[in-house]
Amino acid sequence: MSPYETHTGELHRSGSGWRRALPTTMLIAAIVLVIWVVIGRFTVGALGPLTYVYAFGLGVPLMALHTVAAVLFARDAKFYPSESVSPRASLTAIGSWIVTALFGFFLPDSTPNGMESVFTALTGPNMSGISYGFANTFGVVSMAMAVALVLLALTDLRNTRRALRGEPLSEDELLDRMEAQDGQGEPRHAGGPAASSDSNRQ
């Protein structure tokens, strides 16, 4: 049975307090993470002129994507009595938060002592190359996961609306329904084809 549908117009999704609160939590987490990425280096005195670049080039897109995803997830959850998002939404959101937090940890800025990040402040300036490498990797992944959150939210909302209309959500479900309809429409004879042939001869 689909996790979205039991009967047309009646949807069920298991829920928890955590999954009900996820859209709001996503907004709060987005604010905290954007602040961490943009100015988190102030914790080690490594703020520099790149802060403004990070604010508009990284902070604004991340905030926008997480906000759009949160709004779409909230809209999807309203269709269910539990008002909960899907399990995959919560897992993807957690993964996105972890990656974005690591991005801010490795992201360097220009200072009088050279390029520094929270990571290099803890490990030493000779680790700046490693900091660059991880910052690039986690930066790309954090943006990709933010986009994935929006796409997942759109997919969940689309599937919910299709379930409300009683439409199959996948090709497998469509085939199952067609097989069920064919099975109900074909007359069945006891004893199979042989019995039917004997009946015709009589």
Side-chain angles (χ1 to χ4, degrees):
M1 179 182 293
S2 165
Y4 295 92
E5 177 187 4
T6 54
H7 302 288
T8 303
E10 178 185 351
L11 300 176
H12 294 281
R13 177 186 284 164
S14 61
S16 63
W18 152 247
R19 280 164 52 193
R20 281 192 293 272
L22 184 66
T24 302
T25 306
M26 284 183 65
L27 291 174
I28 297 171
I31 294 171
V32 172
L33 288 170
V34 166
I35 291 173
W36 170 246
V37 168
V38 174
I39 62 172
R41 294 165 303 287
F42 85 92
T43 57
V44 293
L47 281 182
L50 291 177
T51 299
Y52 299 102
V53 177
Y54 295 156
F56 291 100
L58 299 173
V60 171
L62 281 172
M63 189 70 213
L65 289 168
H66 281 266
T67 300
V68 170
V71 170
L72 291 173
F73 280 129
R75 187 177 299 177
D76 173 62
K78 292 298 183 183
F79 286 102
Y80 298 87
S82 65
E83 295 190 358
S84 295
V85 301
S86 64
R88 63 183 182 178
S90 60
L91 293 176
T92 306
I94 292 172
S96 179
W97 298 339
I98 293 172
V99 170
T100 306
L102 290 171
F103 178 37
F105 180 71
F106 288 103
L107 185 64
D109 202 345
S110 178
T111 70
N113 298 321
M115 298 298 288
E116 292 187 24
S117 65
V118 177
F119 173 72
T120 59
L122 298 175
T123 59
N126 59 323
M127 303 294 285
S128 59
I130 294 177
S131 186
Y132 278 124
F134 278 114
N136 288 334
T137 300
F138 286 121
V140 171
V141 176
S142 64
M143 284 294 181
M145 292 200 70
V147 172
L149 275 173
V150 174
L151 295 177
L152 178 58
L154 287 170
T155 300
D156 280 353
L157 185 59
R158 181 191 62 190
N159 287 343
T160 294
R161 288 174 172 170
R162 291 182 65 183
L164 281 169
R165 295 192 297 266
E167 298 177 5
L169 303 181
S170 66
E171 185 177 348
D172 289 339
E173 287 190 20
L174 179 60
L175 292 174
D176 289 343
R177 290 191 182 190
M178 292 175 63
E179 290 177 359
Q181 291 173 357
D182 290 344
Q184 292 174 357
E186 293 179 356
R188 298 181 178 272
H189 299 280
S196 178
S197 177
D198 291 342
S199 175
N200 290 336
R201 284 197 296 266
Q202 291 175 359

Short mmCIF file of all heavy atoms in Angstrom, two decimals, residues 34 37-38 52-67 143:
data_model
loop_
_atom_site.label_atom_id
_atom_site.label_comp_id
_atom_site.label_asym_id
_atom_site.label_seq_id
_atom_site.Cartn_x
_atom_site.Cartn_y
_atom_site.Cartn_z
N VAL A 34 23.07 29.81 8.13
CA VAL A 34 23.52 30.91 7.28
C VAL A 34 24.42 31.86 8.07
O VAL A 34 25.47 32.30 7.57
CB VAL A 34 22.32 31.66 6.69
CG1 VAL A 34 22.75 33.00 6.09
CG2 VAL A 34 21.65 30.80 5.61
N VAL A 37 27.78 30.09 8.38
CA VAL A 37 28.56 30.10 7.15
C VAL A 37 29.14 31.48 6.86
O VAL A 37 30.30 31.63 6.46
CB VAL A 37 27.70 29.61 5.96
CG1 VAL A 37 28.41 29.88 4.63
CG2 VAL A 37 27.41 28.12 6.09
N VAL A 38 28.31 32.52 7.08
CA VAL A 38 28.72 33.88 6.70
C VAL A 38 29.71 34.48 7.70
O VAL A 38 30.75 35.03 7.31
CB VAL A 38 27.49 34.78 6.54
CG1 VAL A 38 27.91 36.23 6.29
CG2 VAL A 38 26.62 34.28 5.38
N TYR A 52 31.24 39.77 3.12
CA TYR A 52 30.14 40.32 2.31
C TYR A 52 29.89 39.45 1.07
O TYR A 52 28.74 39.28 0.66
CB TYR A 52 30.48 41.75 1.90
CG TYR A 52 30.67 42.68 3.07
CD1 TYR A 52 31.95 43.03 3.50
CD2 TYR A 52 29.57 43.16 3.77
CE1 TYR A 52 32.12 43.87 4.59
CE2 TYR A 52 29.74 44.00 4.87
CZ TYR A 52 31.02 44.35 5.28
OH TYR A 52 31.18 45.17 6.36
N VAL A 53 30.96 38.93 0.52
CA VAL A 53 30.80 38.02 -0.63
C VAL A 53 30.05 36.77 -0.20
O VAL A 53 29.13 36.31 -0.90
CB VAL A 53 32.18 37.64 -1.21
CG1 VAL A 53 32.02 36.64 -2.35
CG2 VAL A 53 32.92 38.88 -1.68
N TYR A 54 30.42 36.23 0.94
CA TYR A 54 29.74 35.04 1.45
C TYR A 54 28.28 35.32 1.78
O TYR A 54 27.41 34.47 1.58
CB TYR A 54 30.46 34.50 2.69
CG TYR A 54 31.86 33.99 2.43
CD1 TYR A 54 32.80 33.95 3.45
CD2 TYR A 54 32.24 33.54 1.17
CE1 TYR A 54 34.10 33.46 3.22
CE2 TYR A 54 33.53 33.07 0.94
CZ TYR A 54 34.45 33.03 1.97
OH TYR A 54 35.72 32.56 1.74
N ALA A 55 28.01 36.51 2.28
CA ALA A 55 26.64 36.86 2.67
C ALA A 55 25.70 36.82 1.47
O ALA A 55 24.61 36.23 1.53
CB ALA A 55 26.61 38.23 3.32
N PHE A 56 26.13 37.43 0.36
CA PHE A 56 25.25 37.51 -0.82
C PHE A 56 25.41 36.31 -1.75
O PHE A 56 24.44 35.88 -2.38
CB PHE A 56 25.53 38.80 -1.59
CG PHE A 56 25.11 40.04 -0.85
CD1 PHE A 56 26.05 40.81 -0.17
CD2 PHE A 56 23.78 40.43 -0.81
CE1 PHE A 56 25.66 41.94 0.53
CE2 PHE A 56 23.38 41.56 -0.11
CZ PHE A 56 24.32 42.32 0.56
N GLY A 57 26.62 35.76 -1.82
CA GLY A 57 26.85 34.65 -2.73
C GLY A 57 26.48 33.29 -2.17
O GLY A 57 26.16 32.37 -2.93
N LEU A 58 26.49 33.16 -0.84
CA LEU A 58 26.19 31.88 -0.21
C LEU A 58 24.98 31.96 0.73
O LEU A 58 24.09 31.12 0.68
CB LEU A 58 27.41 31.39 0.58
CG LEU A 58 28.69 31.14 -0.23
CD1 LEU A 58 29.85 30.81 0.71
CD2 LEU A 58 28.49 30.02 -1.23
N GLY A 59 24.99 32.99 1.58
CA GLY A 59 23.94 33.09 2.59
C GLY A 59 22.55 33.27 2.00
O GLY A 59 21.60 32.58 2.40
N VAL A 60 22.44 34.18 1.04
CA VAL A 60 21.12 34.45 0.46
C VAL A 60 20.56 33.23 -0.28
O VAL A 60 19.40 32.85 -0.05
CB VAL A 60 21.18 35.68 -0.47
CG1 VAL A 60 19.87 35.84 -1.24
CG2 VAL A 60 21.47 36.95 0.33
N PRO A 61 21.33 32.58 -1.17
CA PRO A 61 20.78 31.38 -1.84
C PRO A 61 20.42 30.26 -0.87
O PRO A 61 19.37 29.62 -1.02
CB PRO A 61 21.91 30.96 -2.78
CG PRO A 61 22.72 32.17 -3.00
CD PRO A 61 22.66 32.93 -1.72
N LEU A 62 21.27 30.02 0.12
CA LEU A 62 20.97 28.95 1.09
C LEU A 62 19.69 29.26 1.86
O LEU A 62 18.84 28.38 2.05
CB LEU A 62 22.14 28.77 2.05
CG LEU A 62 23.35 27.99 1.54
CD1 LEU A 62 24.51 28.06 2.53
CD2 LEU A 62 22.98 26.52 1.28
N MET A 63 19.57 30.50 2.30
CA MET A 63 18.39 30.88 3.06
C MET A 63 17.13 30.75 2.20
O MET A 63 16.09 30.26 2.66
CB MET A 63 18.54 32.31 3.57
CG MET A 63 17.46 32.73 4.56
SD MET A 63 17.64 31.87 6.13
CE MET A 63 15.92 31.71 6.63
N ALA A 64 17.22 31.19 0.96
CA ALA A 64 16.06 31.13 0.07
C ALA A 64 15.63 29.69 -0.19
O ALA A 64 14.43 29.37 -0.12
CB ALA A 64 16.39 31.83 -1.25
N LEU A 65 16.59 28.83 -0.48
CA LEU A 65 16.26 27.44 -0.79
C LEU A 65 15.66 26.72 0.41
O LEU A 65 14.65 26.00 0.28
CB LEU A 65 17.51 26.70 -1.27
CG LEU A 65 18.03 27.10 -2.66
CD1 LEU A 65 19.41 26.52 -2.91
CD2 LEU A 65 17.06 26.62 -3.75
N HIS A 66 16.25 26.90 1.59
CA HIS A 66 15.72 26.24 2.78
C HIS A 66 14.34 26.79 3.16
O HIS A 66 13.48 26.05 3.64
CB HIS A 66 16.69 26.40 3.95
CG HIS A 66 17.85 25.46 3.90
ND1 HIS A 66 17.85 24.24 4.55
CD2 HIS A 66 19.04 25.53 3.26
CE1 HIS A 66 19.00 23.61 4.32
NE2 HIS A 66 19.74 24.38 3.55
N THR A 67 14.12 28.08 2.93
CA THR A 67 12.81 28.67 3.24
C THR A 67 11.74 28.13 2.30
O THR A 67 10.64 27.77 2.75
CB THR A 67 12.88 30.20 3.13
OG1 THR A 67 13.85 30.70 4.06
CG2 THR A 67 11.53 30.83 3.43
N MET A 143 24.90 23.21 -1.25
CA MET A 143 23.98 23.82 -2.22
C MET A 143 23.15 22.75 -2.91
O MET A 143 21.93 22.92 -3.12
CB MET A 143 24.78 24.62 -3.26
CG MET A 143 25.29 25.95 -2.76
SD MET A 143 23.91 27.10 -2.40
CE MET A 143 24.86 28.53 -1.88
#
